[in-house]
Amino acid sequence: MSQKVTRRQFLNYSLMGVGSFMAAGMILPMGRFALDPLFQDQAEGSMITTSVRAEEITEEPVKVDFSFDQQDAWYESEVTDFAWVYRDGDDIIALSPVCKHLGCTVTWAGDNANPNRFFCPCHNGLYEKSGQNVPGTPPRGPLDQFDVGTSDGYITIGERFANEIV
């Protein structure tokens, strides 16, 4: 004996099916968005190897260029940056070239009146060799540091962080 489906039951089944399909269409992308980081490959390392050998680094800061791939949404580009690197005893120090006042690029010994300091040409800002800002000049804080190391005799540059040597 077959059961008859009433119009009301048919309408309920149809609306439940369509509603379930629409809910799944909204929930599945949200679930994928939440779980996607778990399925991403992790970076092998955050240190970037440069072309400068560690034994070439002296107590005089030198400009060390490095480049890395950066991905912004769907656009991937190669970014070139640099750090001021010098030796302090047995330690190798890498400082960011970005002025803390307005983000201009600082140079080592760029001012003839201050040959042993970093100089920001935007507003005549000065930094000591350690990255400490000179009182009375525009910079509001010390230059940032980079994590630095060596790999196969070459300098490696890592993440930027707040200056810890001043």
Side-chain angles (χ1 to χ4, degrees):
M1 178 178 217
S2 70
Q3 288 185 325
K4 288 191 169 190
V5 177
T6 65
R7 280 187 249 174
R8 183 175 299 227
Q9 288 175 326
F10 177 75
L11 188 56
N12 280 338
Y13 294 151
S14 299
L15 289 176
M16 291 297 282
V18 169
S20 299
F21 182 74
M22 291 176 65
M26 291 187 318
I27 291 172
L28 288 176
M30 285 190 268
R32 172 68 182 177
F33 179 75
L35 297 175
D36 192 47
L38 298 175
F39 301 117
Q40 294 294 323
D41 292 334
Q42 297 297 320
E44 291 179 13
S46 60
M47 299 296 277
I48 301 165
T49 305
T50 66
S51 61
V52 178
R53 297 196 59 81
E55 68 245 9
E56 296 173 11
I57 302 299
T58 64
E59 292 182 0
E60 185 79 13
V62 293
K63 181 179 173 182
V64 174
D65 295 315
F66 60 94
S67 59
F68 56 94
D69 291 331
Q70 176 176 310
Q71 185 165 357
D72 295 324
W74 59 87
Y75 181 73
E76 188 171 333
S77 62
E78 185 177 11
V79 177
T80 302
D81 202 357
F82 75 93
W84 290 105
V85 180
Y86 66 95
R87 191 175 291 278
D88 184 24
D90 290 336
D91 297 331
I92 297 175
I93 309 294
L95 296 175
S96 169
V98 179
C99 177
K100 293 298 233 173
H101 180 227
L102 290 176
C104 301
T105 303
V106 299
T107 59
W108 173 252
D111 181 23
N112 293 335
N114 298 287
N116 292 325
R117 290 182 170 166
F118 289 104
F119 175 69
C120 177
C122 294
H123 292 98
N124 296 326
L126 293 172
Y127 294 93
E128 298 293 344
K129 184 177 174 181
S130 65
Q132 176 66 43
N133 53 314
V134 175
T137 62
R140 298 187 174 125
L143 293 172
D144 289 335
Q145 276 183 270
F146 284 108
D147 190 17
V148 65
T150 58
S151 174
D152 295 329
Y154 290 94
I155 298 291
T156 58
I157 303 288
E159 297 291 323
R160 184 185 320 217
F161 59 92
N163 195 320
E164 295 177 347
I165 58 175
V166 294

